[in-house]
Amino acid sequence: GQSLEQPSEVTAVEGAIVQINCTYQTSGFYGLSWYQQHDGGAPTFLSYNALDGLEETGRFSSFLSRSDSYGYLLLQELQMKDSASYFCAGGSSNTGKLIFGQGTTLQVKP
Amino acid sequence: DAGVIQSPRHEVTEMGQEVTLRCKPISGHNSLFWYRQTMMRGLELLIYFNNNVPIDDSGMPEDRFSAKMPNASFSTLKIQPSEPRDSAVYFCASSLQDTAQETQYFGPGTRLLVL
């Protein structure tokens, strides 16, 4: 089987840094993706990690440790518009078949 | 590009009726995915196609659900007969290739309510 675990909710203040963790259990592993979904909207791609280490894209960074079956999404300089749900997703084969975590709802407060 | 297009955006129907959801992927994308999202079960992959061929339908709930992709620019997801527990948001997504690192581009979704 395959599963990805994330916290259900995270709250932070504007301008702060927040880290959203994701642990996974898979029979195989082909990278960890992160998607953002605003309330009522569609998921949109944020990042993909195939190898260990940190990938940075502007204010967002994503980290992967394959030995620990763990990854995280780091959001810096939080803005109100970052309030959304964030999903980690992984696959057990090198195909587009992704299993999504249950999502973490981030609330950014003034 | 217009992105992934889904129709209808909202559907309200009565139990027992047939429901057909439609999707037009991004031009040039070879893979198409159908997802269902509910509060209880999260975002679930129902089925996906590569080059118009169904690759994995292990997420299709039961025989009431069927999906087709007659050509590279069109796919349907049909529920017959529909039941109240099918109420959910159904997303279609497409990607360039069927690999783990490819970005999946999601459509706006169809919000289905079965009464």
Side-chain angles (χ1 to χ4, degrees), chain A residues 30-31 33 35 37 39-45 48 87 91 93-102, chain B residues 33 35 37 39-43 45 48 56 58 91 97-104 106-108 111:
Chain A
Y30 279 87
S33 300
Y35 284 77
Q37 184 179 29
D39 195 28
T44 57
F45 174 81
Y48 172 77
F87 295 85
S93 60
N94 191 17
T95 69
K97 180 177 181 179
L98 294 180
I99 305 299
F100 281 78
Q102 284 293 97
Chain B
F33 308 83
Y35 290 91
Q37 187 174 36
M39 288 295 293
M40 290 297 295
R41 300 179 66 88
L43 193 60
L45 177 66
Y48 84 95
D56 190 320
S58 59
F91 289 104
Q97 298 180 53
D98 181 22
T99 58
Q101 67 264 36
E102 285 293 341
T103 298
Q104 295 189 16
F106 283 73
R111 283 152 181 78

Side-chain angles (χ1 to χ4, degrees), chain B residues 39-107:
Chain B
M39 288 295 293
M40 290 297 295
R41 300 179 66 88
L43 193 60
E44 305 172 276
L45 177 66
L46 300 177
I47 184 172
Y48 84 95
F49 297 82
N50 193 50
N51 294 322
N52 312 337
V53 176
I55 303 299
D56 190 320
D57 65 354
S58 59
M60 294 287 262
E62 47 198 272
D63 292 344
R64 297 185 298 106
F65 285 68
S66 63
K68 294 181 179 180
M69 191 164 187
N71 56 63
S73 59
F74 183 67
S75 177
T76 59
L77 178 68
K78 186 174 293 187
I79 308 172
Q80 166 63 19
S82 58
E83 297 182 2
R85 59 185 168 141
D86 302 330
S87 298
V89 181
Y90 291 81
F91 289 104
C92 174
S94 70
S95 66
L96 275 171
Q97 298 180 53
D98 181 22
T99 58
Q101 67 264 36
E102 285 293 341
T103 298
Q104 295 189 16
Y105 296 86
F106 283 73

Side-chain angles (χ1 to χ4, degrees), chain A residues 52-63:
Chain A
D52 291 354
L54 193 68
E55 295 279 345
E56 297 182 66
T57 308
R59 294 188 297 113
F60 294 3
S61 303
S62 56
F63 172 83

